[in-house]
Amino acid sequence: MNKKNQNAAAEPRENALLGFAYWQKNAAGSRVIRFKWGKIFLLSLLLAAGAWLAASAALYGFLKYAREYESVRFTDMFTLPFRLDEHRKEMGTYHIEKGMRILEEVDGNTAEGFRLLRLGLARNPGHLEARKLCASIFASFNPDKAIQVLERGLHAHGGTEDTEYLNLTIDLMKRLQHEEELLQLAEQLLGAEGTNQAIRKKLVNTKIEIHILHGSYDLAKECIEQHNLGQTLDGFLFLAQIEEAKGEIANQIYYLKQALEAGKESERYAYLIHETSSAYLQLGNTDQALQLAIFLGHHLPFARIHHHNGEREAED
């Protein structure tokens, strides 16, 4: 190091910019500013951490006290940028639960509760309970929208694995006469291995009912045979419905009698007797109809039948 450099190095430094830089003479004797980059980096790091903490605290306070989100945690807000999807889902659950509470209140603001329910469902679309409630509300004034809400949750959010959810979807589709969509749903779920037996039975029965309603009697019979219902109570009843729809009352009675035999221990036994009695009346066999009606009186508080001469009533 030459003498000039030694003198420059030995010369006292003059701090600048609040100590984050200093003035120094270079080899040519000119004053130049030098930045203390380590100190600047450390300050930037501290400022960023402070801003992060302040923002986390502000967001935590806003959600906990302004929005009354009791389950919020400061650590969740601190790590928010790294868990946005999870936070969105949590906020959806919060809005859903708040909306449900409002809807359960006798004098609650129904419109506000429904708004929160829909807002929560938009953020947490996999919440099946919210979908069921939302669809039930829509069904009262916008049934098609109710079907859309339920259909979106069927495959994308595990609705096919929820028996209650499926029952609601099937029942609403039946009520709104969405037969084609219901047949497609039945085909999909009956072909899937995970569908439970209760839902499979309901889908099969629904499929047969739609075929009968559309006059596709051969398809209905194929479905009965395909699912081994030919010698069951449900199978006999479906076959009786087909014969009734075709106007073949004698054949209808034949299958109803088979159903009576198969359903002796069934809770529907009284219903079977009533249906058989009605079929006999339609055929003009009043005596047989009355015998069944008297027998029915042992199962019900009263039984009423009609025939061509007027009305007769048998009471227990």
Side-chain angles (χ1 to χ4, degrees):
M1 184 181 293
N2 59 34
K3 196 171 195 179
K4 194 177 248 186
N5 287 338
Q6 286 179 346
N7 291 337
E11 189 176 321
R13 297 175 178 179
E14 183 182 344
N15 285 331
L17 300 177
L18 300 176
F20 291 96
Y22 60 89
W23 291 103
Q24 189 181 42
K25 285 186 178 180
N26 60 16
S30 301
R31 294 182 73 200
V32 294
I33 193 167
R34 307 285 187 187
F35 292 99
K36 299 179 180 180
W37 292 111
K39 196 173 183 178
I40 291 172
F41 175 75
L42 182 61
L43 178 64
S44 300
L45 199 61
L46 289 172
L47 287 174
W52 195 313
L53 282 168
S56 300
L59 190 56
Y60 169 79
F62 173 74
L63 291 175
K64 188 171 183 68
Y65 301 109
R67 294 298 186 189
E68 298 180 350
Y69 183 18
E70 295 298 331
S71 61
V72 67
R73 297 178 302 177
F74 178 77
T75 51
D76 292 338
M77 298 301 97
F78 187 74
T79 57
L80 182 61
F82 308 104
R83 52 187 299 277
L84 286 175
D85 290 339
E86 187 179 347
H87 175 70
R88 178 181 174 86
K89 187 176 179 180
E90 288 171 354
M91 288 303 299
T93 302
Y94 161 69
H95 285 122
I96 287 168
E97 291 174 350
K98 188 174 181 180
M100 285 180 170
R101 284 197 303 270
I102 293 174
L103 290 171
E104 287 173 358
E105 295 173 359
V106 176
D107 56 347
N109 187 340
T110 305
E112 176 64 10
F114 189 43
R115 184 190 73 81
L116 287 171
L117 186 68
R118 296 184 66 190
L119 176 63
L121 193 56
R123 293 177 173 176
N124 184 4
H127 200 297
L128 295 183
E129 289 300 320
R131 282 195 175 277
K132 287 186 283 189
L133 181 55
C134 190
S136 298
I137 296 172
F138 268 127
S140 62
F141 65 92
N142 190 348
D144 289 331
K145 182 67 175 178
I147 291 290
Q148 289 177 16
V149 170
L150 290 171
E151 284 183 332
R152 285 172 188 163
L154 276 174
H155 300 288
H157 304 293
T160 54
E161 299 173 7
D162 187 308
T163 301
E164 187 180 344
Y165 189 92
L166 273 173
N167 278 327
L168 179 61
T169 305
I170 293 167
D171 291 341
L172 192 56
M173 282 183 169
K174 286 172 69 175
R175 181 158 70 85
L176 298 177
Q177 299 180 339
H178 285 218
E179 283 99 356
E180 290 303 321
E181 293 93 330
L182 196 46
L183 284 174
Q184 290 176 9
L185 177 63
E187 290 295 337
Q188 291 173 3
L189 295 182
L190 289 172
E193 294 182 359
T195 308
N196 67 50
Q197 289 303 313
I199 290 299
R200 293 184 76 86
K201 181 179 179 180
K202 184 162 188 170
L203 287 169
V204 169
N205 290 353
T206 301
K207 190 176 172 182
I208 296 170
E209 287 169 1
I210 292 172
H211 287 321
I212 294 174
L213 185 65
H214 289 175
S216 303
Y217 307 128
D218 289 339
L219 288 176
K221 288 181 178 179
E222 279 181 23
C223 197
I224 290 169
E225 293 301 320
Q226 179 184 353
H227 295 282
N228 301 315
L229 298 178
Q231 298 300 312
T232 66
L233 175 57
D234 286 336
F236 289 133
L237 284 173
F238 282 131
L239 290 169
Q241 287 180 34
I242 292 171
E243 297 303 327
E244 181 184 15
K246 291 163 64 177
E248 300 292 340
I249 306 304
N251 290 339
Q252 178 195 1
I253 291 172
Y254 169 79
Y255 286 117
L256 285 172
K257 289 169 72 175
Q258 296 290 320
L260 279 170
E261 187 65 26
K264 284 181 179 179
E265 304 300 324
S266 170
E267 294 178 353
R268 293 184 286 174
Y269 194 59
Y271 163 78
L272 296 173
I273 296 172
H274 177 269
E275 287 296 299
T276 309
S277 176
S278 298
Y280 273 118
L281 278 174
Q282 195 172 351
L283 194 62
N285 192 336
T286 308
D287 292 337
Q288 190 66 44
L290 284 171
Q291 287 179 20
L292 286 169
I294 292 169
F295 184 71
L296 180 62
H298 295 291
H299 297 269
L300 299 174
F302 62 88
R304 177 173 296 174
I305 64 171
H306 301 274
H307 62 86
H308 63 283
N309 291 324
E311 181 180 286
R312 297 182 181 179
E313 183 172 289
E315 297 184 357
D316 186 22

